[in-house]
Amino acid sequence: MSPPLLPSWRALAALLVLGASAAHADSLRRFALVAGNDEGGDETRPLRFAQDDARKMHGLLARLGGVAPGDAMLLLNESSKDFLAALTQLEARAKEARARGERTALLVYYSGHAKDGTLRLGNTRLGFEDLKQRLSNAPADIRIAILDSCRSGALTRTKGARRAPAFEIESGAARDARGLVILTSSSADEDSQESDALRGSYFSHHLASGLLGDADRSGDGRVTLFEAYSHAYARTVADTAASSGGAQHPTFSYDLAGNGDLVLTDLRAGGDGLVVPGLAPAGMYYFVDPGGMVVAELDKTPDVERRVALAPGTYRVKRRLSDRLRIGEVEVSRGRQVVLEESRLRDAPFSDDPVKGAAPEGGAWWTVGLSGGVQAFFDAPTRQSLFLSVGMLGAEAQLHDYFRRDWVWGVDVAVGGKQALLALPTLSGPPYKYSVTSLGTTLTSEWPRGTVAPFVGARMAYLVMRRDFEEATYPDQKYAMFSPGLVAGLRWQPLRRLHVTGRARLHYLLYTVDEQRSLGFWELGALVTYQP
C-alpha cells in the first residue's frame, strides 16, 4: 500500500494563513449541492447510509454553515443528469451574486458508489475528472468538493474511493481566499468504509461530528476548513485501523490562494446547543439521539470549555470509563445553550451502553408489537347488512432492513367483532355475532427523517368473516377470500427501542356468493412495537 497523502508543511502553513475574519465569513454567500445515492448500478450492492449521510450534511450546512434554504439543494438517489442540472442552477445563482459584488462559495458533497474513476449514481456515471474540471470553472470564489465515494461491503462495507491528485499551491497576495479544495474519504488505493454502529460512513460521521464542535480546537466557536479536515483525518484513520478493510486515509487536495481561514460552521449560529464546562471530566463524550444514532462526539480535554451545536431534541450522553459507563440524558431547547451537568450523569455497567444495539449486526432487526384500529367497507349497504364496521385488535412482527435498506416486511394477525341484528330485504331480526379474522403480510419502504419515518407499501390479507346466529334454526355463515391492498403511514421512535406507528390501509375484496361484486374497505389503526 502506498503511503497516505498527508498535507505537506508548506500546505499546512498556507492553510493556517488563509484565514478569513469573522466579517469575511459573514459576508460570504454560500451555495451547497448535497447528494446521496445508495444505488450504484450493475455489479454493486445498495449502500445502507449514503442517503442518511447526505441528509445529515444538508441539515448541518443549513443550520450552522450559513447556507440559506434557497441556496442549498439535496438530491437523493438521483442520476448524474439531475446532479449536473442542480449544479448548473447553483452556478447561475452564484454568478448572479458575484455580479452584485458578493463573494461566493460553492460546496459540493457526494456520498455514494465510485468505481473506475467515476461516481456511480444509480445506472449513470460522472467522471472524477469531469467533476473536477466543472468545479474548477465554476463562477464562485471558493469551490469545495467533499467526496465520500463508496461501494457496498459487509458489516463495515467497502466503498472504493480513489485518492484525488495533488495540487500545487498558488501563492499570491489576493485579499481573500480563492480557489478549489477537494476532500475525499480515502486515498486512491484504499477502500472507504461504512459502520453499522455509527449508521454512516466513518469519514462523513467524523466530518459532521467535527463540524458540530469536536473539531473546534481553538475554542472560538467556529470550525474552519483546516480544523474539519484534520479532525476527520485523525478520527477516520484511528477508527478504521483495526477494521477488516484496513486503515483508511482521507485526502486533502487544494488550489487555493489569498488569505483567510475559511469558516465552515459557526457553532453559535442557531443559538442552541450543549456546553460542556471546563470543570467537566476529560474524556470522550458520545451524544446519541432517540433513534440510537451517535450524532456527535466530543474529545474533552481538562479545564477547557467545549461547545457541541446539537439540534433541539433529547439526547443520551455517554462517557466511557475503564470499568463502567457514565450515562445520562440532556434536553436541548431551541434557542438556548444547555450546560451539561456532571451530577445528572450516573454510573452504569457496560451492558447499559446506549449505543449498543443501535444497529444490529448484519443490518436486519426485528420489532414485535400490538395493534388496534377500525375496519369499514366503503359501500353503505354492505357495511350495514353484509360486512359490518368493526374494531380490530391484533399482533404484528416486522423485519427491518433484511431485503434492502429501509424495507420492512411484516406479518400480522387481527380479530374483531360485534353483536348485531340481521337486516336483509327479505329477513330481519335474528341476533347474531359478526366476527372478522385477518391474516396479512406487508412489504413497505420507509424514508427515515430523524425519529420519524413515513412509509408506503403493499399488503396481502386473508380475511375470514362469520355470522354466528344465536338461534339454532338459522345456519351459521362464513366467507373467506384473499384481499390485496395498499398501506401508508408514519413510524415514530420516541425511545431507543420503542416505535409508534399510525397507518391507513385500502383493500379490494371480490364477493362471489349470490353475485360477483367488487368491494373495497379501509382500515385506520395504530401499532406500538418493541425492538428486542
Side-chain angles (χ1 to χ4, degrees):
M1 179 181 293
S2 62
L5 285 183
L6 291 171
S8 67
W9 287 111
R10 182 185 177 196
L12 294 181
L15 287 169
L16 289 173
V17 300
L18 279 177
S21 65
H24 287 161
D26 292 341
S27 64
L28 189 66
R29 176 79 175 273
R30 297 160 186 254
F31 301 87
L33 173 58
V34 180
N37 203 312
D38 290 328
E39 304 292 338
D42 298 335
E43 300 179 356
T44 65
R45 292 178 57 190
L47 296 171
R48 289 177 53 82
F49 306 114
Q51 291 189 76
D52 291 344
D53 286 340
R55 291 189 190 101
K56 287 187 288 186
M57 188 60 63
H58 177 265
L60 195 154
L61 292 173
R63 191 167 63 89
L64 303 173
V67 182
D71 293 337
M73 301 186 71
L74 175 63
L75 302 181
L76 299 176
N77 275 5
E78 301 289 351
S79 67
S80 59
K81 181 179 178 181
D82 297 321
F83 182 94
L84 293 174
L87 183 57
T88 298
Q89 292 184 42
L90 292 180
E91 287 172 338
R93 295 180 193 176
K95 186 175 181 179
E96 293 173 358
R98 291 187 77 188
R100 294 191 296 268
E102 298 180 67
R103 292 192 67 245
T104 58
L106 173 62
L107 187 147
V108 174
Y109 170 92
Y110 170 80
S111 180
H113 284 280
K115 189 176 182 181
D116 300 327
T118 64
L119 303 181
R120 292 196 167 193
L121 297 91
N123 289 316
T124 64
R125 307 287 185 266
L126 177 59
F128 286 150
E129 290 300 318
D130 294 335
L131 178 59
K132 173 187 161 186
Q133 189 62 39
R134 181 69 177 263
L135 292 175
S136 297
N137 298 328
D141 295 292
I142 301 173
R143 288 88 64 199
I144 302 171
I146 302 174
L147 304 180
D148 195 347
S149 310
C150 47
R151 62 178 180 265
S152 181
L155 183 63
T156 56
R157 41 192 61 73
T158 11
K159 297 175 73 180
R162 303 303 180 99
R163 181 181 300 169
F167 288 82
E168 293 296 328
I169 300 176
E170 292 182 2
S171 59
R175 179 173 176 269
D176 297 298
R178 288 178 173 83
L180 173 65
V181 176
I182 299 177
L183 281 69
T184 70
S185 59
S186 63
S187 60
D189 55 355
E190 294 175 345
D191 293 325
S192 296
Q193 299 167 41
E194 284 186 327
S195 166
D196 285 318
L198 297 175
R199 294 191 181 182
S201 78
Y202 285 104
F203 174 74
S204 285
H205 169 78
H206 289 305
L207 179 64
S209 181
L211 293 174
L212 285 169
D214 200 13
D216 181 26
R217 295 298 178 177
S218 66
D220 63 355
R222 298 180 300 167
V223 178
T224 66
L225 178 64
F226 175 66
E227 286 177 323
Y229 167 71
S230 300
H231 173 83
Y233 179 92
R235 291 306 310 276
T236 299
V237 172
D239 277 8
T240 58
S243 69
S244 60
Q248 171 187 331
H249 302 84
T251 69
F252 189 116
S253 303
Y254 46 84
D255 183 1
L256 213 55
N259 60 44
D261 195 3
L262 180 65
V263 175
L264 291 185
T265 55
D266 186 343
L267 307 183
R268 302 157 299 184
D272 40 44
L274 182 72
V275 174
V276 182
L279 294 178
M284 184 65 72
Y285 290 73
Y286 299 89
F287 304 94
V288 186
D289 71 9
M293 182 183 296
V294 181
V295 296
E297 304 175 17
L298 181 66
D299 187 4
K300 172 71 169 58
T301 53
D303 303 322
V304 177
E305 180 180 286
R306 299 294 301 277
R307 180 183 288 106
V308 187
L310 297 173
T314 302
Y315 299 90
R316 298 286 300 277
V317 182
K318 180 189 81 168
R319 188 174 75 254
R320 190 179 183 91
L321 306 178
S322 60
D323 59 346
R324 65 191 186 282
L325 298 172
R326 290 283 285 166
I327 61 175
E329 191 171 276
V330 63
E331 179 77 26
V332 177
S333 302
R334 188 173 301 279
R336 291 183 55 197
Q337 290 279 350
V338 180
V339 177
L340 179 63
E341 300 176 8
E342 179 69 15
S343 60
R344 301 189 64 177
L345 305 182
R346 62 179 177 84
D347 288 339
F350 288 130
S351 59
D352 286 349
D353 191 337
V355 180
K356 183 179 179 181
E361 186 171 334
W365 48 286
W366 284 94
T367 55
V368 293
L370 301 175
S371 64
V374 61
Q375 179 192 97
F377 278 75
F378 289 105
D379 180 60
T382 299
R383 66 173 178 264
Q384 292 169 1
S385 61
L386 184 60
F387 301 134
L388 309 183
S389 300
V390 293
M392 305 286 288
L393 293 176
E396 191 161 337
Q398 295 179 333
L399 178 60
H400 299 250
D401 297 344
Y402 179 77
F403 298 105
R404 61 176 297 170
R405 170 71 170 167
D406 296 329
W407 281 23
V408 182
W409 174 59
V411 291
D412 61 87
V413 59
V415 296
K418 65 191 300 185
Q419 292 294 130
L421 295 176
L422 188 64
L424 298 176
T426 59
L427 181 65
S428 63
Y432 68 95
K433 180 180 179 181
Y434 173 76
S435 62
V436 179
T437 301
S438 171
L439 301 173
T441 181
T442 305
L443 184 64
T444 60
S445 177
E446 295 185 332
W447 290 270
R449 299 290 187 274
T451 60
V452 298
F455 61 86
V456 297
R459 182 171 184 262
M460 177 60 73
Y462 182 70
L463 296 179
V464 179
M465 283 85 76
R466 293 183 58 93
R467 281 199 190 112
D468 294 313
F469 289 93
E470 296 180 2
E471 299 180 18
T473 55
Y474 295 95
D476 295 336
Q477 298 174 329
K478 182 179 78 171
Y479 184 75
M481 178 64 69
F482 283 100
S483 174
L486 301 174
V487 60
L490 185 73
R491 179 173 62 87
W492 174 46
Q493 190 172 5
L495 300 174
R496 186 163 62 96
R497 296 188 179 275
L498 183 68
H499 306 253
V500 180
T501 300
R503 66 189 175 198
R505 294 169 175 166
L506 297 177
H507 271 264
Y508 168 80
L509 182 74
L510 181 63
Y511 181 69
T512 59
V513 175
D514 50 358
E515 61 178 325
Q516 185 166 302
R517 298 166 56 191
S518 295
L519 302 175
F521 66 89
W522 55 265
E523 294 181 356
L524 290 177
L527 172 69
V528 178
T529 53
Y530 174 76
Q531 179 183 342

